[in-house]
PDB file of all heavy atoms in Angstrom:
ATOM      1  N   LEU A 121     -21.889-119.848 -91.937  1.00 98.00           N
ATOM      2  CA  LEU A 121     -20.776-120.710 -92.322  1.00 98.00           C
ATOM      3  C   LEU A 121     -20.640-120.783 -93.836  1.00 98.00           C
ATOM      4  O   LEU A 121     -21.633-120.951 -94.555  1.00 98.00           O
ATOM      5  CB  LEU A 121     -21.006-122.123 -91.765  1.00 98.00           C
ATOM      6  CG  LEU A 121     -20.011-123.213 -92.205  1.00 98.00           C
ATOM      7  CD1 LEU A 121     -18.611-122.905 -91.703  1.00 98.00           C
ATOM      8  CD2 LEU A 121     -20.486-124.580 -91.712  1.00 98.00           C
ATOM      9  N   HIS A 122     -19.393-120.667 -94.317  1.00 98.00           N
ATOM     10  CA  HIS A 122     -19.086-120.827 -95.739  1.00 98.00           C
ATOM     11  C   HIS A 122     -17.956-121.842 -95.855  1.00 98.00           C
ATOM     12  O   HIS A 122     -16.939-121.729 -95.157  1.00 98.00           O
ATOM     13  CB  HIS A 122     -18.637-119.499 -96.357  1.00 98.00           C
ATOM     14  CG  HIS A 122     -19.607-118.381 -96.181  1.00 98.00           C
ATOM     15  ND1 HIS A 122     -20.556-118.058 -97.134  1.00 98.00           N
ATOM     16  CD2 HIS A 122     -19.781-117.497 -95.148  1.00 98.00           C
ATOM     17  CE1 HIS A 122     -21.265-117.029 -96.699  1.00 98.00           C
ATOM     18  NE2 HIS A 122     -20.814-116.670 -95.510  1.00 98.00           N
ATOM     19  N   LEU A 123     -18.112-122.810 -96.730  1.00 98.00           N
ATOM     20  CA  LEU A 123     -17.081-123.823 -96.933  1.00 98.00           C
ATOM     21  C   LEU A 123     -16.108-123.353 -98.007  1.00 98.00           C
ATOM     22  O   LEU A 123     -16.463-123.266 -99.185  1.00 98.00           O
ATOM     23  CB  LEU A 123     -17.715-125.159 -97.316  1.00 98.00           C
ATOM     24  CG  LEU A 123     -18.658-125.757 -96.260  1.00 98.00           C
ATOM     25  CD1 LEU A 123     -19.219-127.083 -96.746  1.00 98.00           C
ATOM     26  CD2 LEU A 123     -17.951-125.921 -94.924  1.00 98.00           C
ATOM     27  N   VAL A 124     -14.910-123.010 -97.571  1.00 98.00           N
ATOM     28  CA  VAL A 124     -13.877-122.508 -98.487  1.00 98.00           C
ATOM     29  C   VAL A 124     -12.535-123.101 -98.059  1.00 98.00           C
ATOM     30  O   VAL A 124     -12.123-122.947 -96.909  1.00 98.00           O
ATOM     31  CB  VAL A 124     -13.773-120.965 -98.444  1.00 98.00           C
ATOM     32  CG1 VAL A 124     -12.759-120.472 -99.476  1.00 98.00           C
ATOM     33  CG2 VAL A 124     -15.125-120.311 -98.660  1.00 98.00           C
ATOM     34  N   ASP A 125     -11.869-123.759 -98.974  1.00 98.00           N
ATOM     35  CA  ASP A 125     -10.521-124.264 -98.732  1.00 98.00           C
ATOM     36  C   ASP A 125      -9.553-123.177 -99.166  1.00 98.00           C
ATOM     37  O   ASP A 125      -9.410-122.893-100.365  1.00 98.00           O
ATOM     38  CB  ASP A 125     -10.295-125.554 -99.526  1.00 98.00           C
ATOM     39  CG  ASP A 125      -8.948-126.205 -99.225  1.00 98.00           C
ATOM     40  OD1 ASP A 125      -8.057-125.515 -98.702  1.00 98.00           O
ATOM     41  OD2 ASP A 125      -8.787-127.399 -99.548  1.00 98.00           O
ATOM     42  N   LEU A 126      -8.878-122.562 -98.197  1.00 97.00           N
ATOM     43  CA  LEU A 126      -7.990-121.435 -98.497  1.00 97.00           C
ATOM     44  C   LEU A 126      -6.736-121.855 -99.265  1.00 97.00           C
ATOM     45  O   LEU A 126      -5.978-120.987 -99.707  1.00 97.00           O
ATOM     46  CB  LEU A 126      -7.598-120.711 -97.208  1.00 97.00           C
ATOM     47  CG  LEU A 126      -8.515-119.557 -96.731  1.00 97.00           C
ATOM     48  CD1 LEU A 126      -8.465-118.397 -97.703  1.00 97.00           C
ATOM     49  CD2 LEU A 126      -9.931-120.030 -96.527  1.00 97.00           C
ATOM     50  N   SER A 127      -6.527-123.157 -99.459  1.00 98.00           N
ATOM     51  CA  SER A 127      -5.398-123.587-100.282  1.00 98.00           C
ATOM     52  C   SER A 127      -5.784-123.675-101.755  1.00 98.00           C
ATOM     53  O   SER A 127      -4.922-123.937-102.604  1.00 98.00           O
ATOM     54  CB  SER A 127      -4.891-124.962 -99.818  1.00 98.00           C
ATOM     55  OG  SER A 127      -5.771-126.001-100.208  1.00 98.00           O
ATOM     56  N   GLU A 128      -7.055-123.453-102.058  1.00 98.00           N
ATOM     57  CA  GLU A 128      -7.550-123.552-103.433  1.00 98.00           C
ATOM     58  C   GLU A 128      -7.990-122.169-103.923  1.00 98.00           C
ATOM     59  O   GLU A 128      -9.066-121.691-103.579  1.00 98.00           O
ATOM     60  CB  GLU A 128      -8.729-124.527-103.505  1.00 98.00           C
ATOM     61  CG  GLU A 128      -8.383-125.964-103.166  1.00 98.00           C
ATOM     62  CD  GLU A 128      -7.600-126.649-104.289  1.00 98.00           C
ATOM     63  OE1 GLU A 128      -7.461-126.050-105.381  1.00 98.00           O
ATOM     64  OE2 GLU A 128      -7.127-127.775-104.060  1.00 98.00           O
ATOM     65  N   PRO A 129      -7.157-121.491-104.731  1.00 97.00           N
ATOM     66  CA  PRO A 129      -7.506-120.154-105.212  1.00 97.00           C
ATOM     67  C   PRO A 129      -8.881-120.070-105.865  1.00 97.00           C
ATOM     68  O   PRO A 129      -9.600-119.090-105.665  1.00 97.00           O
ATOM     69  CB  PRO A 129      -6.388-119.838-106.208  1.00 97.00           C
ATOM     70  CG  PRO A 129      -5.214-120.594-105.688  1.00 97.00           C
ATOM     71  CD  PRO A 129      -5.789-121.879-105.161  1.00 97.00           C
ATOM     72  N   GLN A 130      -9.275-121.088-106.614  1.00 97.00           N
ATOM     73  CA  GLN A 130     -10.567-121.023-107.288  1.00 97.00           C
ATOM     74  C   GLN A 130     -11.724-121.010-106.291  1.00 97.00           C
ATOM     75  O   GLN A 130     -12.745-120.356-106.536  1.00 97.00           O
ATOM     76  CB  GLN A 130     -10.729-122.191-108.259  1.00 97.00           C
ATOM     77  CG  GLN A 130     -11.940-122.045-109.189  1.00 97.00           C
ATOM     78  CD  GLN A 130     -11.883-120.768-110.009  1.00 97.00           C
ATOM     79  OE1 GLN A 130     -10.885-120.485-110.686  1.00 97.00           O
ATOM     80  NE2 GLN A 130     -12.944-119.955-109.948  1.00 97.00           N
ATOM     81  N   GLN A 131     -11.580-121.714-105.193  1.00 98.00           N
ATOM     82  CA  GLN A 131     -12.635-121.700-104.180  1.00 98.00           C
ATOM     83  C   GLN A 131     -12.771-120.311-103.547  1.00 98.00           C
ATOM     84  O   GLN A 131     -13.879-119.865-103.241  1.00 98.00           O
ATOM     85  CB  GLN A 131     -12.370-122.758-103.108  1.00 98.00           C
ATOM     86  CG  GLN A 131     -12.575-124.178-103.583  1.00 98.00           C
ATOM     87  CD  GLN A 131     -12.643-125.170-102.432  1.00 98.00           C
ATOM     88  OE1 GLN A 131     -13.065-124.844-101.326  1.00 98.00           O
ATOM     89  NE2 GLN A 131     -12.232-126.410-102.699  1.00 98.00           N
ATOM     90  N   ILE A 132     -11.648-119.642-103.351  1.00 98.00           N
ATOM     91  CA  ILE A 132     -11.699-118.273-102.815  1.00 98.00           C
ATOM     92  C   ILE A 132     -12.376-117.351-103.821  1.00 98.00           C
ATOM     93  O   ILE A 132     -13.214-116.516-103.456  1.00 98.00           O
ATOM     94  CB  ILE A 132     -10.285-117.756-102.492  1.00 98.00           C
ATOM     95  CG1 ILE A 132      -9.582-118.679-101.492  1.00 98.00           C
ATOM     96  CG2 ILE A 132     -10.354-116.327-101.934  1.00 98.00           C
ATOM     97  CD1 ILE A 132      -8.137-118.321-101.244  1.00 98.00           C
ATOM     98  N   LYS A 133     -12.036-117.500-105.093  1.00 98.00           N
ATOM     99  CA  LYS A 133     -12.643-116.674-106.138  1.00 98.00           C
ATOM    100  C   LYS A 133     -14.150-116.916-106.214  1.00 98.00           C
ATOM    101  O   LYS A 133     -14.936-115.962-106.361  1.00 98.00           O
ATOM    102  CB  LYS A 133     -11.989-116.978-107.490  1.00 98.00           C
ATOM    103  CG  LYS A 133     -10.540-116.561-107.577  1.00 98.00           C
ATOM    104  CD  LYS A 133      -9.917-117.028-108.894  1.00 98.00           C
ATOM    105  CE  LYS A 133      -8.433-116.724-108.952  1.00 98.00           C
ATOM    106  NZ  LYS A 133      -7.807-117.217-110.197  1.00 98.00           N
ATOM    107  N   ASP A 134     -14.561-118.170-106.106  1.00 98.00           N
ATOM    108  CA  ASP A 134     -15.994-118.488-106.159  1.00 98.00           C
ATOM    109  C   ASP A 134     -16.724-117.902-104.963  1.00 98.00           C
ATOM    110  O   ASP A 134     -17.824-117.343-105.096  1.00 98.00           O
ATOM    111  CB  ASP A 134     -16.195-120.004-106.195  1.00 98.00           C
ATOM    112  CG  ASP A 134     -15.732-120.627-107.506  1.00 98.00           C
ATOM    113  OD1 ASP A 134     -15.535-119.877-108.490  1.00 98.00           O
ATOM    114  OD2 ASP A 134     -15.556-121.863-107.535  1.00 98.00           O
ATOM    115  N   PHE A 135     -16.119-118.021-103.781  1.00 98.00           N
ATOM    116  CA  PHE A 135     -16.723-117.432-102.583  1.00 98.00           C
ATOM    117  C   PHE A 135     -16.858-115.933-102.735  1.00 98.00           C
ATOM    118  O   PHE A 135     -17.913-115.346-102.438  1.00 98.00           O
ATOM    119  CB  PHE A 135     -15.882-117.755-101.345  1.00 98.00           C
ATOM    120  CG  PHE A 135     -16.174-116.851-100.172  1.00 98.00           C
ATOM    121  CD1 PHE A 135     -17.344-116.995 -99.442  1.00 98.00           C
ATOM    122  CD2 PHE A 135     -15.291-115.830 -99.836  1.00 98.00           C
ATOM    123  CE1 PHE A 135     -17.629-116.149 -98.381  1.00 98.00           C
ATOM    124  CE2 PHE A 135     -15.563-114.977 -98.774  1.00 98.00           C
ATOM    125  CZ  PHE A 135     -16.735-115.132 -98.044  1.00 98.00           C
ATOM    126  N   ALA A 136     -15.789-115.277-103.195  1.00 98.00           N
ATOM    127  CA  ALA A 136     -15.801-113.823-103.342  1.00 98.00           C
ATOM    128  C   ALA A 136     -16.871-113.375-104.334  1.00 98.00           C
ATOM    129  O   ALA A 136     -17.586-112.393-104.095  1.00 98.00           O
ATOM    130  CB  ALA A 136     -14.429-113.331-103.787  1.00 98.00           C
ATOM    131  N   ARG A 137     -17.005-114.086-105.428  1.00 98.00           N
ATOM    132  CA  ARG A 137     -18.028-113.748-106.433  1.00 98.00           C
ATOM    133  C   ARG A 137     -19.428-113.822-105.829  1.00 98.00           C
ATOM    134  O   ARG A 137     -20.223-112.881-105.966  1.00 98.00           O
ATOM    135  CB  ARG A 137     -17.921-114.732-107.598  1.00 98.00           C
ATOM    136  CG  ARG A 137     -18.944-114.514-108.720  1.00 98.00           C
ATOM    137  CD  ARG A 137     -19.061-115.766-109.571  1.00 98.00           C
ATOM    138  NE  ARG A 137     -19.543-116.899-108.784  1.00 98.00           N
ATOM    139  CZ  ARG A 137     -19.091-118.136-108.910  1.00 98.00           C
ATOM    140  NH1 ARG A 137     -18.135-118.419-109.776  1.00 98.00           N
ATOM    141  NH2 ARG A 137     -19.598-119.109-108.158  1.00 98.00           N
ATOM    142  N   ASP A 138     -19.725-114.904-105.129  1.00 98.00           N
ATOM    143  CA  ASP A 138     -21.055-115.073-104.535  1.00 98.00           C
ATOM    144  C   ASP A 138     -21.287-114.080-103.403  1.00 98.00           C
ATOM    145  O   ASP A 138     -22.395-113.556-103.245  1.00 98.00           O
ATOM    146  CB  ASP A 138     -21.220-116.504-104.011  1.00 98.00           C
ATOM    147  CG  ASP A 138     -21.181-117.540-105.122  1.00 98.00           C
ATOM    148  OD1 ASP A 138     -21.392-117.155-106.298  1.00 98.00           O
ATOM    149  OD2 ASP A 138     -20.940-118.725-104.826  1.00 98.00           O
ATOM    150  N   PHE A 139     -20.247-113.807-102.623  1.00 98.00           N
ATOM    151  CA  PHE A 139     -20.392-112.889-101.492  1.00 98.00           C
ATOM    152  C   PHE A 139     -20.675-111.469-101.982  1.00 98.00           C
ATOM    153  O   PHE A 139     -21.494-110.748-101.393  1.00 98.00           O
ATOM    154  CB  PHE A 139     -19.122-112.909-100.640  1.00 98.00           C
ATOM    155  CG  PHE A 139     -19.293-112.315 -99.271  1.00 98.00           C
ATOM    156  CD1 PHE A 139     -19.766-113.092 -98.220  1.00 98.00           C
ATOM    157  CD2 PHE A 139     -18.973-110.986 -99.030  1.00 98.00           C
ATOM    158  CE1 PHE A 139     -19.931-112.553 -96.955  1.00 98.00           C
ATOM    159  CE2 PHE A 139     -19.128-110.437 -97.769  1.00 98.00           C
ATOM    160  CZ  PHE A 139     -19.612-111.219 -96.728  1.00 98.00           C
TER     161      PHE A 139
END
Side-chain angles (χ1 to χ4, degrees):
L121 173 64
H122 304 266
L123 299 180
V124 184
D125 185 341
L126 271 294
S127 74
E128 296 286 352
Q130 191 58 53
Q131 289 194 29
I132 302 174
K133 293 174 185 178
D134 291 344
F135 162 74
R137 179 199 62 220
D138 295 341
F139 196 86

